[in-house]
Each structure stands twice: as C-alpha cells, then as structure tokens.
C-alpha cells in the first residue's frame, strides 16, 4: 500500500499458465491482528507477506509472514473454507494466530498437505535454516511452535550459501514428496 503495508492480493492465471486471466483491485487478505498492524514509524514496512496455502479437506490454511514494523517477523496462520475462497468472500478468513515464538525471526511457513503419523508437519525458516515441527492440531492459541528440527541450511560456496527457505507447499509424487526451496 502507499504506507508500505503489505497486503495479499488475488490473481488467477489462464490455463496455459502464461497470462493473468483475472486480478482483483481489492486485497484478498488485509492485516487484522495486532501482530501484523503497523506500529512505530508510519513509513516502515509492515503487514502480511509470503503466503503459502495448503488445502486440507474443505479448508485452505494460509501460512504467511506477519510483521508489525517493530518486532521480529513471525509465521502466522489463518484459514478459509474452499467454498468461501472460490466465492471471494474475503471477510470469512478466520482470526489469524501466531505460530512461532516472539523473540525469533521466523518466516516461510507452510503445512504438509496430509498428516504423517497422526501429526501435522509444519515447515518454517528460523534465521538461515529450514526447520520443521510436528503438531497434533493446527490450533496455536495455547501453544506455538517451540522447536526447530533442522531440515536443511545454506551450502557454503553455492548459490544458496546465505539462507534457504520453503518456496511452496510440498507436492506428493509417486516417488515421495517434492520439496522446493529458495536460496
């Protein structure tokens, strides 16, 4: 926005994947919670960035980076029904929750699209490392993620030598999960 607040938009691609078929002029998701509202200097960055949407059943879970312009960026989670999303009823996004601890710079969050051993696998980035944590529930109102099971980190001397992060939700293939990351 004009005041450097990040919002999340909606664009639909043509079937060929090469052209934008529809782009809305209004945001699909606006910052609503305190942890994503601008604080302090009105010219600083804030808002919601880097969304990754996972479909589980009839619900779309959106992990994203929430930033208030003052505190560390956090991984946050909200959700909406597939039906409401397709109907573009953006007022139906559920109240967002912080997923990660307060004093940790944590971004690039997504959820594996299916449970493994009865747990949801949540990927996120702390500092320069891709981490995972496992949870029985996606309700973070009482407890946030507390550990970083290291998945991978930067490789010295390579294109991804500074930091790495989850680029999108892993995709299940015949040979296992395809995990795409950025560096």
């Amino acid at each position: 926005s004009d005041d450097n607040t990040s919002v999340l938009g909606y664009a639909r691609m043509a079937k060929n994947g090469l052209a934008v078929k529809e782009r809305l002029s209004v945001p699909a998701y606006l910052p609503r919670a305190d942890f994503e509202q601008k604080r302090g200097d009105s010219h600083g960055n804030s808002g919601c960035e880097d969304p990754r949407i996972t479909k589980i059943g009839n619900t779309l879970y959106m992990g994203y980076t929430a930033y208030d312009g003052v505190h560390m960026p956090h991984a946050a989670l909200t959700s909406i029904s597939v039906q409401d999303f397709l109907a573009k009823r953006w007022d139906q996004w559920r109240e967002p929750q912080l997923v990660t601890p307060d004093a940790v710079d944590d971004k690039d969050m997504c959820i594996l699209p299916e449970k493994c051993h009865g747990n949801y696998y949540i990927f996120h980035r702390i500092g320069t490392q891709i981490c995972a944590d496992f949870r029985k529930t996606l309700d973070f109102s009482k407890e946030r993620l507390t550990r970083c099971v290291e998945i991978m980190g930067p490789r010295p001397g390579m294109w991804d030598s500074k930091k790495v992060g989850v680029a999108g939700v892993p995709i299940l293939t015949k040979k296992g999960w395809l995990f795409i990351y950025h560096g």
Side-chain angles (χ1 to χ4, degrees), residues 4 34-47 66-74 102-105:
N4 291 328
D34 287 346
F35 53 80
E36 55 197 15
Q37 295 287 331
K38 186 178 293 299
R39 296 183 191 197
D41 183 358
S42 63
H43 300 291
N45 295 332
S46 66
Y67 183 53
D68 66 7
V70 175
H71 301 97
M72 297 273 192
H74 291 88
D102 285 335
V104 178
D105 181 353

Side-chain angles (χ1 to χ4, degrees), residues 48-150:
C48 309
E49 300 178 345
D50 299 333
R52 287 149 179 83
I53 293 181
T54 302
K55 182 179 184 275
I56 300 174
N58 292 319
T59 302
L60 299 175
Y61 292 90
M62 182 173 69
Y64 63 96
T65 301
Y67 183 53
D68 66 7
V70 175
H71 301 97
M72 297 273 192
H74 291 88
L77 181 69
T78 187
S79 62
I80 191 170
S81 72
V82 171
Q83 182 180 3
D84 285 336
F85 185 89
L86 293 175
K88 300 177 183 82
R89 290 190 284 260
W90 309 131
D91 62 334
Q92 296 302 304
W93 286 103
R94 288 176 191 83
E95 193 65 30
Q97 297 179 354
L98 284 178
V99 173
T100 55
D102 285 335
V104 178
D105 181 353
D106 205 326
K107 304 171 111 179
D108 299 345
M109 187 217 133
C110 74
I111 304 164
L112 197 67
E114 62 183 51
K115 283 185 168 184
C116 294
H117 305 291
N119 289 300
Y120 292 101
Y121 281 41
I122 299 136
F123 297 99
H124 54 113
R125 184 185 86 208
I126 295 179
T128 62
Q129 305 281 324
I130 296 175
C131 302
D133 203 344
F134 319 116
R135 297 288 302 269
K136 296 275 183 209
T137 176
L138 294 175
D139 179 2
F140 295 95
S141 62
K142 294 182 177 122
E143 181 185 17
R144 298 188 204 168
L145 297 182
T146 57
R147 35 180 197 177
C148 172
V149 177
E150 290 185 18

